[in-house]
Amino acid sequence: MHRNVPRIARTLACAAVALPVLLVAGCSSDSDNGGKDSDSPSDSASKSKPAKVAPAKFKELPDSCKSIGKGTVKDLVPKSDNEAGKRVGSGDTNDSTSCLWSGLDKYDYRQLTISLKRFDSEASLGTGDKRAGQFLDERVGETTGNKDNKKAKDSHVADVGEQATSVSYETKKKDSKGKSEDFTGERLVARTANVVVTVDYEGAGFEDAKQPKPEDLKKKAEKAAKEAITNIK
């Protein structure tokens, strides 16, 4: 019986509303949290803040029509209709930009498109580099997943940016008269930091001329991609 007296006394003391603050604080030590304080408001606020991400390396893009030199244009697109290229889309060099070249040399047709896409770092989405890498995979998937592209084959490409994949394929297109023509195509997608460079290079041999070899298209697409990357600053 006497052993319970201190506990009973303390319980009664806690029930008294006029006791000093120090005594009330002592009563709280019997609570379920074992006397441990809960997270302070500042701790909760710090936990709710989004994690910081590294800033993106590149803040703007070059003009895609100036991303490769005239010599490269002549090499990839002989007899080009417009060596300066034709801008595709808005041409907003702060976000994305694309340029198109095409030309017919006797019966050999070539078409080249270079597209540049830049990504900023965002706490909710990740770094610009990470987002660019995800976009690279999407661009590759667009080509390999296109049912109109036959014999699509993707492969890793070394020494082009920090990450690069190439896709070779065959497809058919109709000319202005509705005649179906065979095309051989190459899409090379490369990433340098937070920028993705996409090179779409297609060729055809009209009037029973020989089709371009996939390995030749790939080699020249790599040349264009490397040159475009060097102009991103």
Side-chain angles (χ1 to χ4, degrees), residues 143-155:
T143 308
T144 56
N146 189 336
K147 64 180 181 179
D148 293 329
N149 294 337
K150 309 302 181 183
K151 299 181 181 180
K153 182 180 180 181
D154 63 281
S155 59

Side-chain angles (χ1 to χ4, degrees), residues 40-51 123:
S40 64
S42 60
D43 291 338
S44 300
S46 63
K47 290 179 180 179
S48 63
K49 290 181 180 179

Side-chain angles (χ1 to χ4, degrees), residues 21 70 80 82 92 94 105 116 122 136 168 190 192 194 205:
V21 175
K70 292 182 179 180
S80 175
N82 183 2
D92 180 8
N94 207 35
D105 183 10
L116 310 177
E122 296 186 23
L136 183 152
S168 301
T192 175
N194 59 310

